[in-house]
Amino acid sequence: MEIQKYLESNTKNHLSSSMCSLLAYVLLMSEEVLDELNLMMYRTTLGSHMRLLPAVRCCRKAKLCECYLDDTCCETVALALQIPNSPLIELDMSDNDLQDSGVKLLSDGLKSPNCQLTKLRLKSQMCFIC
């Protein structure tokens, strides 16, 4: 609960790459389950918020919208879905340019008997010019 309060109170502060890594480590080592991990809530340098991504393993809801996720990120999320007793029940990966390989990795994670996900969001805001 203290980690959740810290995260909620520091959404306006800039987090360095090393702070993101440290925060992910603390979350992973903690016995607490984070209610929500929203990567867009934190002011970081481009790509630094990816260092928080391993924390999806210890949260109920993960909002990973507009985070420029690549295959490595999709693999991290897919592995989180496959962990026994995973607390992850809601996942929002909207507005990421997921390639076929990333979607395949996610699909493999969703097929796991350990996957507890009840809500998945993958919408894209692609514009087509005719």
Side-chain angles (χ1 to χ4, degrees):
M1 200 52 120
E2 288 186 34
I3 295 172
Q4 182 80 34
K5 288 179 187 176
Y6 173 81
L7 289 172
E8 290 170 358
S9 68
N10 284 293
T11 58
K12 303 289 187 221
N13 295 332
H14 177 79
L15 297 177
S16 66
S17 292
S18 57
M19 187 62 173
C20 290
S21 296
L22 178 61
L23 201 49
Y25 176 78
V26 169
L27 288 167
L28 290 169
M29 294 298 115
S30 170
E31 292 184 16
E32 289 184 48
V33 174
L34 192 62
D35 287 328
E36 179 178 277
L37 177 66
N38 183 347
L39 295 188
M40 295 306 291
M41 285 179 50
Y42 308 103
R43 293 181 50 221
T44 63
T45 57
L46 185 62
S48 293
H49 60 278
M50 296 303 179
R51 294 175 181 244
L52 284 167
L53 196 59
V56 299
R57 289 188 264 167
C58 58
C59 66
R60 288 183 185 89
K61 301 175 190 175
K63 291 187 178 181
L64 313 176
C65 311
E66 299 179 51
C67 291
Y68 307 100
L69 301 179
D70 60 14
D71 286 352
T72 304
C73 299
C74 290
E75 184 175 19
T76 300
V77 173
L79 290 172
L81 294 170
Q82 298 174 46
I83 293 172
N85 301 315
S86 172
L88 190 58
I89 57 171
E90 290 186 27
L91 177 60
D92 187 348
M93 296 178 69
S94 299
D95 299 320
N96 285 291
D97 186 21
L98 302 178
Q99 302 298 312
D100 289 345
S101 53
V103 173
K104 168 79 170 91
L105 289 165
L106 285 175
S107 176
D108 291 344
L110 292 167
K111 292 176 188 173
S112 169
N114 293 320
C115 181
Q116 301 294 315
L117 210 62
T118 58
K119 189 183 289 186
L120 173 63
R121 188 172 193 165
L122 294 172
K123 80 173 182 79
S124 177
Q125 294 182 352
M126 297 186 68
C127 297
F128 295 100
I129 300 173
C130 299

